[in-house]
Amino acid sequence: MYVVPPPERSGSGSDRDLRVYQTWKGSNIFFLQGRFVFGPDVRSLALTICLIAVPVTIFCIFVARKLMDDFSDSWGVSILAVAVVFTIYDLILLLVTSGKDPGIIPRNAHPPEPEAFEGNMDAGAGQTPQLRLPRIKEVEVNGITFKVKYCDTCMLYRPPRCSHCSICNNCVEKFDHHCPWVGQCIGLRNYRFFFMFVFSTTLLCIYVHAFCWVYIRKITESEHTTIWKAMLKTPASIVLIIYTFISMWFVGGLTAFHLYLISTNQTTYENFRYRYDRRSNPHNKGVVNNFKETFCSAIPPSKNDFRALVHREPPLPPRSVAGGFMSPNMGKANDDIEMGRKAVWADMGPAMSEHGNNERLHVKDGELGELSPDVRTTVDEQRDRPGVHPRRSSWGRKSGSWDMSPEVMALAGRVGGEQHQNRGGSSSGSGLVTENRHT
């Protein structure tokens, strides 16, 4: 299983070496460098393989090998050969179903642009109404109107018959269900193999079950005994008969259920959620055409190239919000701002370099009131002690021998000039008050 590595610095060589399966945001597990994609519960695949291979192995050793002596010519060999070939065919269908892309729709890197305003349209002056994506949209396919929903995880509108699998964390086309026995979602691209796997497993259970009874019958005829005594002579056959009988109810019932779904062109998800039995099914094309669509139509190619190199997209430019701008850092913690750290001014570096380090920073009236207390204290210290340049360190401690940063110098210069004018204007008034008190 590949874990997404932490983001590297731009320009590093490792970014160009990453492939899609290494940066995949879903919960899938990849093997052989992205050639096989499995679900997060792929470990259950080993259990399914054991549930198929172990009983067949017992059948070949204790039943089929004994039947080779009871049947003349090549009939005895064919019983063993059919069991082995049928098991290999069944396991191949299982691996194809589990390791194949079920029809995953690639998620978008960014949400689509909103088409209309939602919410309060009577925004005040200088305010921009908030753009929101509609949760449901109506699309028309072959003259039939479908409602498609927006997926917040994949940031796309799901096509008709598509659903988001909470286990694999992907949107899957023609989503049927997530099968824990194969460890994969069942969708558009692997449903055919899933049904063939379930159907072939049913036939394999019937085959083993039937020849176990044949072997018991042979013992009864050769030893002229009752069927109960013959069953005691081959306990392996009894175990296989019970095991295959229980399995046939499970896989056989599943096969019958999916035959009904195919004949009506439904998925398991649609059958349990929409109940097309109570209303018309817009996907039903007739029994014959429905079977042709499932087994005779071409499987669409995968929309994901898991071995392709990942191309890093440039960051989005800041968007205008209510006459201002939205910073890419909006939403981050503001500890640096409140602590008056140098990181606050890091974003102003390009702007400061354009005006020069010795030029004053033009600050509008009222903006100084929004500064943090640490910065304002530093400005007052600079005004009262012109010979020393104290400032706040990154840990909030005073360091009297350190030089003051150019940004604080610019702010202090403007504050000092304005306060000097205010003191000059108010000095005459204070003098009159003092004179009146003495009088």
Side-chain angles (χ1 to χ4, degrees):
M1 178 178 181
Y2 289 90
V3 179
V4 179
E8 302 282 346
R9 294 183 179 179
S10 59
S12 61
S14 59
D15 290 346
R16 295 189 297 269
D17 297 334
L18 293 180
R19 299 185 182 271
V20 173
Y21 75 92
Q22 293 174 314
T23 59
W24 189 252
K25 296 182 180 180
S27 303
N28 301 91
I29 298 177
F30 299 87
F31 286 93
L32 296 181
Q33 299 182 350
R35 291 178 174 87
F36 295 95
V37 51
F38 297 91
D41 49 350
V42 66
R43 292 178 180 86
S44 62
L45 184 63
L47 175 62
T48 307
I49 294 175
C50 292
L51 292 176
I52 297 173
V54 171
V56 174
T57 303
I58 296 175
F59 172 77
C60 294
I61 295 175
F62 296 100
V63 179
R65 188 170 60 88
K66 301 292 182 61
L67 289 174
M68 293 175 59
D69 301 331
D70 296 333
F71 289 92
S72 58
D73 299 331
S74 60
W75 283 102
V77 178
S78 62
I79 295 174
L80 180 62
V82 169
V84 173
V85 173
F86 211 167
T87 303
I88 295 175
Y89 170 73
D90 194 34
L91 294 178
I92 290 176
L93 290 175
L94 172 62
L95 295 176
V96 171
T97 304
S98 182
K100 191 178 183 65
D101 178 9
I104 300 174
I105 299 179
R107 62 183 67 190
N108 292 329
H110 311 289
E113 292 294 334
E115 298 180 357
F117 292 100
E118 285 191 1
N120 185 14
M121 296 297 296
D122 300 330
Q127 296 182 357
T128 302
Q130 189 175 7
L131 290 174
R132 292 185 181 274
L133 292 169
R135 300 296 303 174
I136 298 177
K137 293 176 62 176
E138 292 186 353
V139 296
E140 186 174 347
V141 180
N142 297 329
I144 302 176
T145 302
F146 296 94
K147 291 183 178 181
V148 295
K149 295 182 179 180
Y150 179 76
C151 180
D152 294 320
T153 304
C154 300
M155 293 184 290
L156 52 83
Y157 284 97
R158 304 168 189 163
R161 314 190 79 177
C162 173
S163 183
H164 188 89
C165 177
S166 59
I167 300 177
C168 293
N169 197 21
N170 296 311
C171 282
V172 180
E173 288 185 286
K174 200 178 179 181
F175 177 77
D176 190 88
H177 69 286
H178 184 93
C179 182
W181 297 101
V182 302
Q184 181 63 284
C185 290
I186 307 302
L188 177 65
R189 302 189 67 251
N190 65 346
Y191 179 79
R192 178 186 306 176
F193 302 101
F194 169 77
F195 176 80
M196 294 171 64
F197 161 71
V198 174
F199 181 66
S200 62
T201 305
T202 304
L203 295 180
L204 183 61
C205 290
I206 295 174
Y207 182 84
V208 173
H209 185 87
F211 275 98
C212 285
W213 281 114
V214 170
Y215 180 57
I216 293 175
R217 182 65 179 175
K218 288 291 183 180
I219 295 177
T220 304
E221 293 177 353
S222 61
E223 298 185 5
H224 304 285
T225 183
T226 62
I227 191 172
W228 299 107
K229 293 183 179 180
M231 292 172 64
L232 294 176
K233 292 182 177 294
T234 172
S237 299
I238 303 304
V239 173
L240 291 176
I241 287 174
I242 297 175
Y243 177 80
T244 54
F245 178 78
I246 297 175
S247 300
M248 277 190 296
W249 279 102
F250 175 72
V251 293
L254 195 61
T255 301
F257 174 68
H258 280 279
L259 283 173
Y260 161 73
L261 294 179
I262 295 173
S263 62
T264 56
N265 204 339
Q266 299 183 59
T267 63
T268 304
Y269 181 80
E270 293 170 347
N271 180 263
F272 280 91
R273 179 164 184 173
Y274 299 114
R275 296 292 183 182
Y276 284 137
D277 295 338
R278 302 177 183 177
R279 57 176 178 167
S280 61
N281 181 5
H283 308 290
N284 193 352
K285 304 176 182 178
V287 177
V288 177
N289 292 329
N290 291 337
F291 273 90
K292 286 183 178 180
E293 179 181 337
T294 303
F295 298 105
C296 301
S297 61
I299 298 177
S302 175
K303 295 183 179 180
N304 302 279
D305 186 3
F306 298 109
R307 292 179 50 78
L309 295 177
V310 177
H311 300 286
R312 299 293 181 180
E313 296 184 359
L316 289 177
R319 297 183 179 180
S320 175
V321 178
F325 67 93
M326 180 181 294
S327 171
N329 297 327
M330 183 174 293
K332 294 183 179 180
N334 56 355
D335 294 340
D336 291 340
I337 298 178
E338 295 181 357
M339 293 298 295
R341 298 175 184 172
K342 190 174 180 180
V344 176
W345 310 100
D347 296 336
M348 299 177 59
M352 295 297 298
S353 61
E354 293 180 1
H355 297 280
N357 294 333
N358 297 327
E359 293 187 17
R360 293 178 58 189
L361 180 66
H362 299 284
V363 183
K364 297 181 180 180
D365 295 336
E367 289 184 354
L368 292 176
E370 300 177 358
L371 291 176
S372 63
D374 294 337
V375 179
R376 298 184 67 179
T377 302
T378 307
V379 173
D380 294 337
E381 291 176 357
Q382 168 62 20
R383 182 192 64 220
D384 297 334
R385 302 175 59 186
V388 184
H389 307 289
R391 69 160 186 160
R392 296 282 178 174
S393 66
S394 60
W395 296 98
R397 298 188 297 268
K398 294 183 180 180
S399 301
S401 61
W402 290 3
D403 294 335
M404 184 175 294
S405 62
E407 296 83 9
V408 178
M409 288 287 293
L411 295 176
R414 182 172 179 84
V415 173
E418 293 179 355
Q419 292 184 356
H420 179 71
Q421 294 179 0
N422 295 335
R423 289 179 179 178
S426 62
S427 61
S428 59
S430 61
L432 291 176
V433 174
T434 305
E435 184 178 357
N436 292 334
R437 286 182 179 177
H438 286 290
T439 305

